[in-house]
Amino acid sequence: MRILGLDIDLVNLRKETYSEDSRNPQMEFGTPEEDAMRRDATVNAMFYNVNTQTIEDFTSRGFDDMAAKIIRTPLEPYQTFKDDPLRVLRLIRFASRLGYSIDKEALVAMRDQDIKDALRRKISRERVGVEMEKALRGSDPHEALKLVYSLELYETIFSDPTVELAKHYTPDCEGWELCIDRLRDVLSEETPLAELLVRDKEERFMAYQLAALVPYRDAPQPSAPPGRKPPPPVAALVAREGVKATNKVSDTVALAVKTQEEVSSLVDQFNERKRRPEKPFEGDDATARDVLGMAIRRWGTGSRSLVMYSFLVDTVSHPESTEAIERNYTSFLQHLQTISVLDAYTLKPLLDGKTLAKALDTPPGPWMKDALDVVMAYQLRNPDTTDTDAAIEAVKQKRGELSSALVRHFLKLTIRPLFQKAKPKNVTEAGRKREGEQLPPKLSMQSTSEEETKPWKSLHQTHALSLLKWVVSALHEQTGLIEEVWHLVIPPILTMIDDWEVKYKALGAKLSSDILRVTPPILLERTGLGEVFEEALVPCLSYLPTITPEDEAIELLDDVYPALLALSRTRYPKNIPKESRRDA
């Protein structure tokens, strides 16, 4: 009932009688003394008499315990907790919220294995979750977790009740006290790390919720039944089932566990690059705005919580280096703030999927998601670029940095995988002619299926050829890219020329003509692919009527002759002396 804006519960005085297997008592009307004695703590058992306007302490200890800041049960603690084990968690919450200490006799009972067993057996996980959430949202969540640790209640509270106790993963609590102490220190001292990662009460709650689950950091990933997606990490299952966390919390826990190694590795790479900028490195530049911004976007809206979890895991894993770890994470986060990518997940894409597909003249499909990441990385590298129309025009004209990035992306991650199983055997991974005789491929029922060996011909992958045509056309405008992507663009073209269907042979011949017209003669000579192209194209001249339908023969020859001419002009250019080609 709400009275004057306050939630008021009106109940009668009660006396309670408990059974062995339930915390729900049989209730009957009682006296004020009986009602006070059934409460969980003396300081929570005092009454205000509205008639006399005085506070009445029927346990005779409430006033004294409040003055001494002690949490004590009105009756003998063991029986109090045995009747209702939830009182264990309520006392932890009261003590942490009020800054009180728990009576020694009560602490002994709270550690008792019978009480832990009763807490598992008699209390619903929803109630456990409610109490723990209130404690972690309270004024001193560190003290709440510290009591859970010191009372050896961790596995009783933070476990998955859907898994048999004998099969349940045993959490690694070694170092957990350091973890929660370190989190308290970071937050209470208002460190730069705290200022950047914990902006409000929700992020503070999430930090302690994640800290509570650090002991499950090394739990093996549960296996998935055949044909099913993998289940969440054990820590996320404990959050969801053990304390009935919300979907948002459970999802954040799952993502934090899955990304922890990525976050930690990126922090290490960043600091290594900062310390030794002159040292050569492989892979992405961990200090670059696009690399870091895309990482933040992958981690999503909870990225700060994910970084906090990784910091806590690294702290537990390397207790001898806690200060260095904090410095590394602080430096990393301050750099993210300096280059304005801490909130990169809020950045609006310059192009959407349909707009990009239209600019590329390619059917929409699953390829768009990764391609839009390329566009976003371009935006992050060029934060002043905000003109959508200019970006669209650049893609249409196949010019500029964005088009170059798309060429690299499509060849490496979209086109190449679809041609990988049927690539030409006489071309190496480096895009050179393979020397020596090649053994014929082993045949199997599976290898003869085009759906398996040539997925680029599938109706579901029609975008592959459209994108390949766009790439080849773009290389006319971006000739400086040809040598860089030579080993990626040539195999798909040769694969199509070697195909048995005339329409693909014709397209392969046309694309070879287009690419050869802008190929530097020295590149063709150095890689030895002039002969490979000749061996692929010349047999196409035999596709003549009546063996080949006349319309197909004309279509093929219309593309093969220009390709052979382009090949001859590139292999034997008039303006480059033979001696120069040999020297190169």
Side-chain angles (χ1 to χ4, degrees):
M1 178 184 299
R2 289 184 68 82
I3 300 177
L4 299 178
L6 299 175
D7 289 321
I8 305 294
D9 288 336
L10 300 178
V11 296
N12 58 276
L13 297 171
R14 298 191 306 234
K15 177 183 178 182
E16 297 176 344
T17 304
Y18 288 87
S19 65
E20 179 68 21
D21 296 321
S22 175
R23 66 171 291 268
N24 298 317
Q26 292 181 340
M27 291 182 291
E28 54 187 279
F29 289 107
T31 66
E33 291 81 358
E34 289 172 333
D35 193 285
M37 290 299 180
R38 72 178 181 83
R39 303 282 173 172
D40 37 32
T42 57
V43 295
N44 195 37
M46 292 187 284
F47 294 83
Y48 179 73
N49 191 320
V50 295
N51 295 313
T52 63
Q53 296 186 358
T54 59
I55 297 175
E56 298 176 340
D57 181 7
F58 290 103
T59 68
S60 300
R61 306 187 76 168
F63 281 119
D64 291 341
D65 288 344
M66 186 174 291
K69 294 188 174 182
I70 292 177
I71 297 290
R72 187 195 318 273
T73 59
L75 298 175
E76 192 275 325
Y78 180 89
Q79 193 58 48
T80 298
F81 298 141
K82 196 71 181 295
D83 287 341
D84 185 359
L86 187 64
R87 289 168 175 160
V88 171
L89 302 185
R90 287 174 60 81
L91 262 58
I92 289 174
R93 175 163 64 88
F94 290 153
S96 63
R97 188 185 73 186
L98 299 173
Y100 285 17
S101 58
I102 299 176
D103 169 59
K104 292 182 180 179
E105 189 179 353
L107 289 174
V108 171
M110 292 165 81
R111 284 193 183 92
D112 192 283
Q113 188 59 48
D114 289 344
I115 302 303
K116 295 177 185 178
D117 292 340
L119 182 56
R120 282 181 184 270
R121 187 179 68 255
K122 296 174 70 172
I123 307 301
S124 73
R125 286 295 171 156
E126 286 80 6
R127 295 305 302 270
V128 170
V130 167
E131 289 299 324
M132 286 311 304
E133 180 171 347
K134 287 180 179 179
L136 296 184
R137 289 188 183 277
S139 57
D140 194 352
H142 167 266
E143 180 63 17
L145 293 181
K146 193 87 167 183
L147 285 168
V148 170
Y149 174 79
S150 63
L151 294 169
E152 300 176 357
L153 287 166
Y154 185 85
E155 289 186 63
T156 305
I157 298 170
F158 295 104
S159 58
D160 181 357
T162 66
V163 179
E164 293 180 32
L165 200 57
K167 297 180 180 179
H168 199 285
Y169 174 80
T170 302
D172 180 6
C173 291
E174 183 178 353
W176 188 52
E177 185 177 21
L178 169 64
C179 169
I180 56 180
D181 286 351
R182 195 66 181 145
L183 178 57
R184 174 204 57 194
D185 295 342
V186 165
L187 297 183
S188 62
E189 295 169 8
E190 297 183 352
T191 62
L193 191 67
E195 292 175 3
L196 292 168
L197 292 183
V198 182
R199 299 167 297 176
D200 53 36
K201 292 180 179 179
E202 279 302 312
E203 287 180 342
R204 175 177 175 269
F205 163 70
M206 188 61 74
Y208 275 103
Q209 181 72 78
L210 289 168
L213 294 163
V214 164
Y216 284 97
R217 63 194 179 279
D218 293 327
Q221 173 64 35
S223 57
R228 303 285 296 275
K229 67 178 183 178
V234 171
L237 293 172
V238 169
R240 188 178 71 192
E241 303 294 342
V243 293
K244 293 300 180 182
T246 63
N247 289 338
K248 179 181 178 182
V249 170
S250 300
D251 291 345
T252 300
V253 172
L255 192 56
V257 174
K258 291 176 182 177
T259 60
Q260 192 277 320
E261 289 186 3
E262 179 190 353
V263 175
S264 179
S265 176
L266 189 57
V267 172
D268 288 345
Q269 291 172 35
F270 165 80
N271 283 283
E272 179 66 19
R273 288 279 293 137
K274 281 291 187 181
R275 281 191 294 268
R276 303 181 62 184
E278 76 288 348
K279 182 181 178 181
F281 65 94
E282 295 183 0
D284 295 329
D285 181 359
T287 64
R289 192 172 191 271
D290 59 331
V291 174
L292 296 173
M294 291 306 293
I296 295 295
R297 288 182 67 84
R298 283 195 303 276
W299 303 339
T301 57
S303 57
R304 284 176 170 82
S305 296
L306 271 54
V307 175
M308 177 62 83
Y309 176 79
S310 183
F311 164 71
L312 295 173
V313 169
D314 282 348
T315 297
V316 173
S317 302
H318 306 283
E320 74 287 353
S321 306
T322 55
E323 293 184 1
I325 291 169
E326 183 176 343
R327 285 197 301 271
N328 285 346
Y329 274 82
T330 299
S331 177
F332 174 73
L333 289 162
Q334 287 175 334
H335 181 71
L336 295 182
Q337 185 181 46
T338 300
I339 61 176
S340 303
V341 297
L342 260 175
D343 296 312
Y345 53 82
T346 65
L347 187 60
K348 183 180 179 181
L350 198 59
L351 304 176
D352 60 35
K354 290 183 178 179
T355 303
L356 180 61
K358 186 175 181 181
L360 293 168
D361 193 24
T362 299
W367 62 269
M368 295 189 300
K369 180 180 180 299
D370 291 335
L372 289 174
D373 284 344
V374 175
V375 177
M376 180 54 67
Y378 163 77
Q379 284 180 247
L380 288 163
R381 288 192 299 274
N382 302 274
D384 295 330
T385 300
T386 57
D387 190 338
T388 297
D389 292 336
I392 294 171
E393 192 60 27
V395 174
K396 286 182 177 179
Q397 297 297 325
K398 296 109 175 167
R399 296 176 181 172
E401 180 189 344
L402 177 56
S403 291
S404 298
L406 288 169
V407 165
R408 295 185 183 96
H409 167 75
F410 290 141
L411 286 174
K412 288 180 182 178
L413 299 177
T414 308
I415 296 169
R416 186 181 194 180
L418 297 176
F419 283 84
Q420 195 69 17
K421 292 185 178 180
K423 58 187 178 181
K425 304 300 180 185
N426 53 351
V427 178
T428 68
E429 292 291 334
R432 294 174 173 270
K433 179 184 178 183
R434 192 184 299 277
E435 302 296 338
E437 294 186 7
Q438 302 299 311
L439 296 174
K442 293 181 179 180
L443 294 179
S444 67
M445 291 298 294
Q446 189 178 38
S447 66
T448 58
S449 167
E450 284 205 336
E451 187 175 345
E452 176 69 22
T453 60
K454 299 181 179 180
W456 54 272
K457 297 175 73 171
S458 167
L459 292 176
H460 302 293
Q461 307 289 353
T462 54
H463 61 273
L465 300 184
S466 297
L467 291 174
L468 182 57
K469 287 188 280 187
W470 181 87
V471 164
V472 171
S473 179
L475 291 175
H476 274 256
E477 304 296 334
Q478 312 239 3
T479 53
L481 272 180
I482 292 176
E483 186 160 357
E484 177 188 337
V485 301
W486 177 258
H487 66 293
L488 298 171
V489 70
I490 296 304
I493 293 174
L494 290 171
T495 297
M496 284 193 288
I497 297 174
D498 289 341
D499 194 72
W500 64 274
E501 291 189 68
V502 170
K503 64 178 181 179
Y504 294 119
K505 282 184 174 292
L507 179 56
K510 183 180 187 312
L511 293 178
S512 65
S513 175
D514 292 341
I515 197 73
L516 287 168
R517 281 202 294 269
V518 292
T519 296
I522 293 177
L523 175 61
L524 190 65
E525 182 175 9
R526 188 172 67 242
T527 58
L529 291 191
E531 186 178 348
V532 174
F533 268 108
E534 182 180 346
E535 291 173 354
L537 289 167
V538 169
C540 295
L541 298 176
S542 64
Y543 281 67
L544 300 171
T546 59
I547 297 176
T548 303
E550 184 175 336
D551 57 337
E552 292 185 4
I554 292 173
E555 176 189 6
L556 179 58
L557 295 175
D558 274 348
D559 290 317
V560 170
Y561 278 117
L564 286 169
L565 289 172
L567 175 62
S568 64
R569 291 178 182 133
T570 304
R571 287 184 77 183
Y572 311 109
K574 294 180 180 179
N575 58 339
I576 299 182
K578 188 173 182 180
E579 291 77 12
S580 298
R581 297 202 304 274
R582 188 181 304 113
D583 293 341

